[in-house]
C-alpha cells in the first residue's frame, strides 16, 4: 500500500540511503541525509523522496545532471567532508559488529583518494529504436541511463563517450547489451568489448579502423585482442605493467598510491613477503624492490601480465616467485607460510569482496610476524580480522581510503602483528 508521509531521517544506512525510524520499523529513503525532515511516498520499508522540508547543513547541490536517475552515484547531495566521515563510521560499525570495538581509536580519518577521477569504467550499451544508449543502469533496474558526462571519471574516458557508442553499434546483438570496459592509460585507452553478437570479418575491420582513428591503444572483443597500436601500460611503482584486457585495477591512481604506501610501510623491513590474491602485481612489483616476494593468484592472465612486468623491470627487482593457486579452495597453509625459505616475514592479502576467510584461518595458525590486509568490503574484512585477532594477532593501524567518490564503497588497509 502506497501512502504519503512526513519522516525524520535519523541515519545513513550502509548503502548510502537515509533511514527513518518509525513505529512499524525502519524506512529507507534514497537521497536524504541525517537530521532532515522529508515528505515521501512510502511503500512498506522503502519510500520515494517528494520534498526536503528541512535540509541538513551537509546537503549540497549535485554536480551531475544524471544524479538521481543513474545508479552509479548515491551521495552527490552530501558534502565531501561529511562523506569521508560517514565512510569511516561504516568501518567502525563493521568492526564493532565482529566484537572489535576496541579498535576504533586505531581507525584513521578517511583518505580522499578520488584524485583526477576513476581511470577505469564499465559501461553498458543497448539499442533503443534507431538510437544507441550507452551509460550505466538505473538504481535497481535494467533500464539504461544514456550518459553524456560523468564527474567521477577521468576526462579522457568522458571524451571517448561518442566513440564508444559508435563502436558498440558495430557489435550490438539483436537483443541484449554490449559491455565496454575502458581503462585510461598514459598511452591511450584500453577498450575491451563483450558481446553475444556474431561479428563478421568486415565489421571487425571497420571496428579496428574506427578505434585506431580515435587513438585507442588496444582493442579487444570477447577476450581476444583485435589490435594493439601501443601497449596500454600503467605505472606500478616505476615498473610498467600492461594489464589483461578488461582486468581489474585500482579505481584511481591516487587510491592505488595511498593503498600501496600503507602496504609498504606496514610490511616495513621484511625481506620475505607473500602477496596473496596478488592480481597483476599492484603490490608485488613495489614490494620486490626491497624483498623477495611469493606472489599467488588464481587468474592465469593476471600472472602472465605480472611475468611480463617482472621481465621489464628485472634490473630493479628482487626475485618474484609467481604461483597460480585458488586461495579460496586451497589457501597457503600455516606450515607452508612458516617453512617457505625459513618462514615468511610478512603476508599481504587483497581478496575480492568475499574476503579471505580460509586463508585467514591458516594465517591465524602460522607464525608470520606481520600481516597487511587490504579489502574493499569492511564487513568481510572485519570477519577475517576477527579470525586473526583470535589467533593471537594485534591490530596496529586501520586506514580507510575513498577512491569511489559519491558511492558507499570504501577500501581499507589494516596492519597486524603477532603478540
Amino acid at each position: 500500500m502506497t501512502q504519503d508521509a512526513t519522516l525524520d531521517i535519523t541515519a545513513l544506512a550502509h548503502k548510502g540511503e537515509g533511514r527513518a525510524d518509525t513505529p512499524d520499523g525502519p524506512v529507507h529513503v534514497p537521497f536524504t541525509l541525517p537530521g532532515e525532515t522529508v515528505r515521501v511516498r512510502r511503500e512498506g520499508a522503502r519510500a520515494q523522496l517528494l520534498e526536503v522540508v528541512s535540509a541538513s547543513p551537509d546537503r549540497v547541490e549535485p554536480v551531475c545532471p544524471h544524479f538521481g536517475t543513474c545508479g552509479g552515484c548515491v551521495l552527490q547531495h552530501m558534502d565531501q567532508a561529511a562523506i569521508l566521515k560517514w565512510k569511516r563510521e561504516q568501518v567502525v560499525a563493521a568492526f564493532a559488529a565482529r566484537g572489535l570495538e576496541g579498535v576504533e581509536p586505531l581507525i584513521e580519518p578517511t583518505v580522499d583518494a578520488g584524485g583526477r577521477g576513476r581511470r577505469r569504467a564499465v559501461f553498458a550499451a543497448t539499442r533503443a529504436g534507431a538510437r544507441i544508449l550507452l551509460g550505466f543502469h538505473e538504481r535497481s533496474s535494467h533500464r539504461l541511463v544514456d550518459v553524456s558526462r560523468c564527474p567521477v571519471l577521468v576526462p579522457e574516458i568522458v571524451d571517448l563517450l561518442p566513440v564508444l557508442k559508435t563502436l558498440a553499434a558495430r557489435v550490438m546483438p539483436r537483443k541484449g547489451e554490449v559491455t565496454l570496459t575502458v581503462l585510461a592509460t598514459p598511452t591511450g585507452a584500453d577498450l575491451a568489448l563483450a558481446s553475444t553478437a556474431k561479428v563478421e570479418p568486415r565489421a571487425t575491420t571497420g571496428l579496428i579502423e574506427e578505434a585506431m582513428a580515435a587513438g585507442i591503444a588496444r582493442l579487444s572483443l570477447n577476450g581476444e585482442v583485435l589490435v594493439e597500436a601501443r601497449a596500454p601500460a600503467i605505472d606500478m611503482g616505476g615498473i610498467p605493467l600492461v594489464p589483461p584486457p578488461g582486468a581489474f585495477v585500482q579505481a584511481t591512481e591516487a587510491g592505488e598510491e595511498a593503498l600501496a604506501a600503507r602496504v609498504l610501510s606496514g610490511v616495513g623491513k621484511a625481506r620475505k613477503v607473500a602477496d596473496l590474491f596478488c592480481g597483476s602485481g599492484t603490490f608485488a612489483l613495489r614490494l620486490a624492490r626491497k624483498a623477495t616476494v611469493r606472489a599467488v593468484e588464481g587468474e592465469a592472465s593476471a600472472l602472465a601480465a605480472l611475468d611480463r612486468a617482472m621481465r621489464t623491470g628485472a634490473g630493479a627487482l628482487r626475485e618474484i616467485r609467481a604461483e597460480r593457486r585458488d586461495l579460496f579452495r586451497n589457501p597457503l597453509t600455516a606450515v607452508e607460510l612458516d617453512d617457505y625459505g625459513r618462514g615468511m616475514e610478512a603476508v599481504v592479502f587483497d581478496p575480492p569482496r568475499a574476503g579471505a576467510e580460509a586463508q585467514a584461518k591458516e594465517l591465524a595458525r602460522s607464525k608470520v610476524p606481520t600481516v597487511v590486509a587490504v579489502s574493499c568490503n569492511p564487513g568481510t574484512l572485519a570477519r577475517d580480522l576477527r579470525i586473526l585477532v583470535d589467533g593471537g594477532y594485534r591490530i596496529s593501524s586501520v586506514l580507510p581510503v575513498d577512491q569511489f567518490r559519491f558511492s558507499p564503497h570504501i577500501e581499507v588497509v589494516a596492519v597486524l602483528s603477532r603478540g
Side-chain angles (χ1 to χ4, degrees), residues 58 169 228 323 332 347 378:
D58 294 328
E228 185 176 302
E323 175 185 345
L332 262 67
V347 169

Side-chain angles (χ1 to χ4, degrees), residues 276-414:
L276 310 182
F277 306 93
C278 70
S280 297
T282 302
F283 305 128
L285 291 168
R286 291 173 165 91
L287 290 164
R289 288 190 173 274
K290 294 185 178 181
T292 58
V293 179
R294 185 179 186 181
V296 186
E297 167 60 41
E299 291 291 332
S301 60
L303 289 178
L306 173 58
D307 182 70
R308 290 191 295 271
M310 287 161 46
R311 296 173 191 276
T312 302
L317 302 176
R318 297 190 182 184
E319 179 189 6
I320 299 179
R321 177 185 166 188
E323 175 185 345
R324 187 181 180 189
R325 183 163 175 168
D326 184 343
L327 292 168
F328 292 108
R329 297 182 178 182
N330 186 23
L332 262 67
T333 65
V335 172
E336 289 177 284
L337 290 165
D338 292 339
D339 287 351
Y340 175 73
R342 285 203 242 165
M344 282 295 164
E345 295 177 12
V347 169
V348 177
F349 67 88
D350 182 13
R353 289 188 63 79
E357 184 174 13
Q359 187 60 71
K361 289 177 179 178
E362 292 299 328
L363 277 166
R365 299 185 187 105
S366 78
K367 300 175 183 175
V368 175
T370 302
V371 173
V372 183
V374 185
S375 176
C376 61
N377 184 338
T380 55
L381 174 64
R383 178 202 64 202
D384 296 344
L385 295 189
R386 177 77 263 175
I387 293 168
L388 294 173
V389 169
D390 289 345
Y393 281 93
R394 176 177 55 83
I395 300 172
S396 55
S397 69
V398 180
L399 181 69
V401 176
D402 181 17
Q403 57 177 338
F404 304 105
R405 189 164 285 165
F406 305 136
S407 87
H409 303 301
I410 183 74
E411 293 270 353
V412 188
V413 188

Side-chain angles (χ1 to χ4, degrees), residues 25 44 97 108 174 402:
E108 300 171 39
R174 290 179 180 271
D402 181 17

Side-chain angles (χ1 to χ4, degrees), residues 45-375:
R46 301 195 60 80
Q48 175 189 354
L49 177 64
L50 299 177
E51 179 189 1
V52 177
V53 178
S54 175
S56 163
D58 294 328
R59 178 171 286 275
V60 296
E61 279 297 314
V63 295
C64 179
H66 303 298
F67 180 67
T69 305
C70 174
C73 294
V74 298
L75 292 169
Q76 282 191 24
H77 60 299
M78 189 176 188
D79 176 73
Q80 180 63 8
I83 293 175
L84 296 176
K85 180 181 177 184
W86 174 73
K87 288 194 174 186
R88 180 186 180 276
E89 291 168 355
Q90 299 313 295
V91 180
V92 171
F95 281 31
R98 291 287 176 172
L100 298 170
E101 298 94 338
V103 178
E104 195 274 338
L106 301 174
I107 302 176
E108 300 171 39
T110 305
V111 172
D112 185 349
R116 295 179 60 245
R118 297 191 203 179
R119 60 183 173 180
R120 182 178 184 272
V122 181
F123 297 102
T126 191
R127 195 183 302 278
R131 298 173 59 215
I132 297 294
L133 306 181
L134 181 139
F136 304 109
H137 291 102
E138 295 182 15
R139 289 169 56 83
S140 305
S141 171
H142 294 296
R143 291 191 298 271
L144 201 62
V145 179
D146 192 32
V147 171
S148 60
R149 54 175 291 198
C150 181
V152 302
L153 300 179
V154 294
E156 297 91 321
I157 293 180
V158 177
D159 292 344
L160 275 179
L161 290 175
V163 174
L164 297 180
K165 279 190 177 185
T166 302
L167 297 175
R170 287 187 172 272
V171 295
M172 188 65 65
R174 290 179 180 271
K175 292 183 179 180
E177 297 179 343
V178 174
T179 300
L180 305 91
T181 303
V182 189
L183 173 66
T185 80
T187 58
D190 183 19
L191 174 59
L193 303 172
S195 173
T196 58
K198 183 179 180 181
V199 183
E200 301 295 335
R202 182 181 298 178
T204 301
T205 301
L207 190 68
I208 292 171
E209 289 174 350
E210 289 191 32
M212 294 302 96
I216 288 171
R218 181 173 68 180
L219 176 68
S220 308
L221 177 62
N222 295 331
E224 178 186 352
V225 176
L226 300 182
V227 63
E228 185 176 302
R230 298 169 303 284
I234 56 178
D235 185 288
M236 289 292 183
I239 306 298
L241 169 77
V242 179
F248 168 83
V249 298
Q250 294 295 339
T252 70
E253 290 183 54
E256 181 180 287
E257 290 298 329
L259 295 171
R262 180 52 59 97
V263 168
L264 292 175
S265 67
V267 166
K269 296 180 180 180
R271 295 165 297 172
K272 291 174 290 184
V273 182
D275 183 9
L276 310 182
F277 306 93
C278 70
S280 297
T282 302
F283 305 128
L285 291 168
R286 291 173 165 91
L287 290 164
R289 288 190 173 274
K290 294 185 178 181
T292 58
V293 179
R294 185 179 186 181
V296 186
E297 167 60 41
E299 291 291 332
S301 60
L303 289 178
L306 173 58
D307 182 70
R308 290 191 295 271
M310 287 161 46
R311 296 173 191 276
T312 302
L317 302 176
R318 297 190 182 184
E319 179 189 6
I320 299 179
R321 177 185 166 188
E323 175 185 345
R324 187 181 180 189
R325 183 163 175 168
D326 184 343
L327 292 168
F328 292 108
R329 297 182 178 182
N330 186 23
L332 262 67
T333 65
V335 172
E336 289 177 284
L337 290 165
D338 292 339
D339 287 351
Y340 175 73
R342 285 203 242 165
M344 282 295 164
E345 295 177 12
V347 169
V348 177
F349 67 88
D350 182 13
R353 289 188 63 79
E357 184 174 13
Q359 187 60 71
K361 289 177 179 178
E362 292 299 328
L363 277 166
R365 299 185 187 105
S366 78
K367 300 175 183 175
V368 175
T370 302
V371 173
V372 183
V374 185
S375 176

